[in-house]
Amino acid sequence: VVSTIVAFDLEFIVGTTSSPQVVNGVNVTLPTDGTNQIILPLESVLNQSVTVEKDSVPLPIGLIDRVSYTPIYTNTSVTITLGPSGVNFQNGDLFVIRGLQYVSA
């Protein structure tokens, strides 16, 4: 199967940007204030390609001593969970989530 790699870019302000947002033709439900997770229902996202920025600052992956995120990749989605425990999406926060996706040609 012939496929190409396509970039995706999701930018939103928690509590302000309307939900869902369309990313590469798929509706993505944005997180709400007080939640710590967003699911990107995108198929075939390249492993280790997702990055997250909060208020223009790149977040590290999986740290327990500061705000970070943990991505879980499956064939049909990527789940992004903020951490450590107690860190949540908050109204007014600007998030930018980027990554790469295989798309059949």
Side-chain angles (χ1 to χ4, degrees):
V1 175
V2 176
S3 62
T4 58
I5 297 175
V6 178
F8 63 85
D9 189 352
L10 173 61
E11 182 175 318
F12 61 93
I13 298 173
V14 178
T16 301
T17 307
S18 63
S19 182
Q21 289 290 304
V22 177
V23 177
N24 289 1
V26 176
N27 285 334
V28 175
T29 301
L30 299 181
T32 57
D33 185 57
T35 61
N36 73 336
Q37 200 171 72
I38 181 172
I39 298 172
L40 305 176
L42 300 172
E43 294 183 5
S44 303
V45 172
L46 276 69
N47 196 23
Q48 304 299 319
S49 73
V50 172
T51 62
V52 177
E53 295 177 12
K54 177 185 176 196
D55 296 321
S56 301
V57 176
L59 296 181
I61 296 175
L63 298 182
I64 59 171
D65 64 340
R66 66 196 70 218
V67 176
S68 63
Y69 72 101
T70 301
I72 304 295
Y73 298 84
T74 69
N75 290 336
T76 58
S77 69
V78 177
T79 301
I80 297 169
T81 304
L82 297 181
S85 180
V87 173
N88 296 312
F89 291 97
Q90 296 180 348
N91 284 338
D93 287 345
L94 167 66
F95 279 87
V96 179
I97 301 173
R98 293 185 176 101
L100 299 172
Q101 177 185 22
Y102 286 114
V103 177
S104 295

